[in-house]
Amino acid sequence: MTKPVVLFVCVHNAGRSQMAAGWLRHLAGETVEVRSAGSEPRDQLNPVAVEAMQEVGIDITTAVPQLLRTETVQDSDVVITMGCGDACPIFPGKRYEDWALTDPAGQPIEVVRQVRDDIRTRIEKLAKELQTA
């Protein structure tokens, strides 16, 4: 069986989607292929998101915001969007979820920690579902 491909999408690909990708890599290891992208990617990660993830032992400093491409969606099995609206193309047969999460851009570390922890809870559930699929 091939491993599932999970794509996390947010507007800037600098905070939420990168934290989600970091969590899934950390919790699922090599059992899942993880991607992330943004409809309007920034040139660097949100430093507060990086700091919040480092607090729990996850290093996302090497991640680079990527532009969302139709092919990336097409080549993914699960697409999780986080506030990017209709920017994400829809393909039949894919699993889509939209996670309503606070945008960490410009937020203090206390708010970003809450977003990080909310994402972890969702990732734990997703990882279990992927293992039993």
Side-chain angles (χ1 to χ4, degrees), residues 8 18-32 34 53 56-60 120 123-124 127 131:
F8 295 102
Q18 295 288 359
M19 289 192 289
W23 272 122
L24 188 57
R25 284 187 188 101
H26 178 75
L27 295 171
E30 295 296 315
T31 64
V32 177
V34 182
M53 292 301 283
V56 293
I58 299 174
D59 182 5
I60 61 171
R120 179 184 181 144
I123 293 294
E124 287 170 340
Q131 288 173 348

Side-chain angles (χ1 to χ4, degrees), residues 17 22-23 45 53 55 57-58 63-64 77-78 80 84 87 96 103 105 112 116 118 120 123-124 128-129 132:
S17 56
W23 272 122
L45 296 185
M53 292 301 283
E55 290 177 354
I58 299 174
V64 177
D77 300 305
V78 179
I80 311 261
C84 61
Y96 290 89
D103 186 350
V112 178
R116 173 200 67 202
D118 185 3
R120 179 184 181 144
I123 293 294
E124 287 170 340
K128 266 188 202 157
E129 292 169 358
T132 58

Side-chain angles (χ1 to χ4, degrees), residues 19-77:
M19 289 192 289
W23 272 122
L24 188 57
R25 284 187 188 101
H26 178 75
L27 295 171
E30 295 296 315
T31 64
V32 177
E33 184 176 331
V34 182
R35 300 174 178 170
S36 70
S39 53
E40 298 172 25
R42 292 276 192 239
D43 57 354
Q44 65 182 24
L45 296 185
N46 176 338
V48 183
V50 171
E51 179 184 348
M53 292 301 283
Q54 285 177 329
E55 290 177 354
V56 293
I58 299 174
D59 182 5
I60 61 171
T61 57
T62 59
V64 177
Q66 301 291 318
L67 178 63
L68 177 64
R69 300 191 185 289
T70 301
E71 302 79 35
T72 308
V73 178
Q74 198 166 11
D75 294 342
S76 299
D77 300 305

Side-chain angles (χ1 to χ4, degrees), residues 97-116:
E97 290 184 27
D98 185 51
W99 292 356
L101 296 164
T102 300
D103 186 350
Q107 299 289 338
I109 187 73
E110 296 79 19
V111 172
V112 178
R113 284 180 185 130
Q114 291 172 351
V115 174
R116 173 200 67 202

